[in-house]
Amino acid sequence: MAIVLEEEGIYNRCRVYATDINDAVLKKAKEGIYPRDLIQTYAHSYTSAGGKRLFSDYYTVAYEHAILNSALRANVVFAQHNLASDASFNEFTLILCRNVMIYFNNELQAHVFKLLHESLATFGVIGLGAKETMKLSPREYAYEQIDKTARLYRRTR
């Protein structure tokens, strides 16, 4: 997300919240150190998605790892957040919650959809995973689908 915002020239005006329930996952993400073989996969995805530069512009290689440029992490807040029990903590214009809901039962999905709805600004966009849909949400009426393949929805109310 930081790379997209950087390439659009707006990263310096944005704050990205990267949340997870697992502290170890957050620590690893905050360090920005990834195995070299994963970076090759990410580079392919970046190019396929229409990246504007060389993906290697965004990291340096040390031994068998790639380290993301610290500038890409400067506006990222890494925080623990539990979708099952924590409340909304901000209003967002974009929420990416991909491939999480598929692990929840219907009751927990309804709870999380409510939380996400309360956290998303009107006309904000939410991205769900490939096997997730807003049709599972009791607030489906408040969203319009803007990209079926990418599972992107805009909140209209």
Side-chain angles (χ1 to χ4, degrees):
M1 191 74 250
I3 291 172
V4 170
L5 295 169
E6 175 65 28
E7 290 186 351
E8 292 302 315
I10 60 172
Y11 181 69
N12 62 339
R13 297 184 315 215
C14 296
R15 174 124 10 242
V16 176
Y17 290 87
T19 63
D20 198 284
I21 192 171
N22 186 321
D23 276 333
V25 169
L26 289 168
K27 183 179 182 222
K28 185 173 180 168
K30 190 174 187 175
E31 291 171 350
I33 301 172
Y34 298 92
R36 236 164 116 176
D37 59 332
L38 281 181
I39 288 294
Q40 292 172 350
T41 302
Y42 298 157
H44 177 71
S45 296
Y46 170 80
T47 302
S48 297
K52 296 180 179 179
R53 297 170 48 187
L54 295 174
F55 191 64
S56 58
D57 291 345
Y58 298 107
Y59 66 89
T60 55
V61 176
Y63 303 101
E64 293 300 314
H65 292 87
I67 305 166
L68 290 180
N69 295 347
S70 60
L72 288 175
R73 292 176 273 139
N75 293 354
V76 180
V77 175
F78 296 90
Q80 187 177 37
H81 189 262
N82 184 335
L83 290 171
S85 61
D86 294 343
S88 175
F89 61 91
N90 206 344
E91 182 178 71
F92 301 96
T93 55
L94 173 66
I95 296 175
L96 301 176
C97 187
R98 297 195 182 270
N99 303 318
V100 174
M101 305 282 250
I102 57 175
Y103 300 106
F104 299 159
N105 65 29
N106 291 343
E107 183 180 335
L108 185 52
Q109 284 180 2
H111 168 78
V112 172
F113 274 124
K114 179 180 183 282
L115 174 67
L116 296 175
H117 181 78
E118 291 169 353
S119 301
L120 189 64
T122 304
F123 304 115
V125 173
I126 186 166
L128 301 177
K131 295 182 180 179
E132 299 164 332
T133 177
M134 194 55 71
K135 290 181 180 176
L136 300 174
S137 168
R139 289 170 179 75
E140 175 187 6
Y141 66 89
Y143 294 85
E144 66 178 352
Q145 189 171 56
I146 57 176
D147 189 315
K148 184 176 183 175
T149 304
R151 303 291 180 146
L152 296 176
Y153 301 85
R154 177 180 293 118
R155 180 178 171 185
T156 57
R157 337 175 172 186

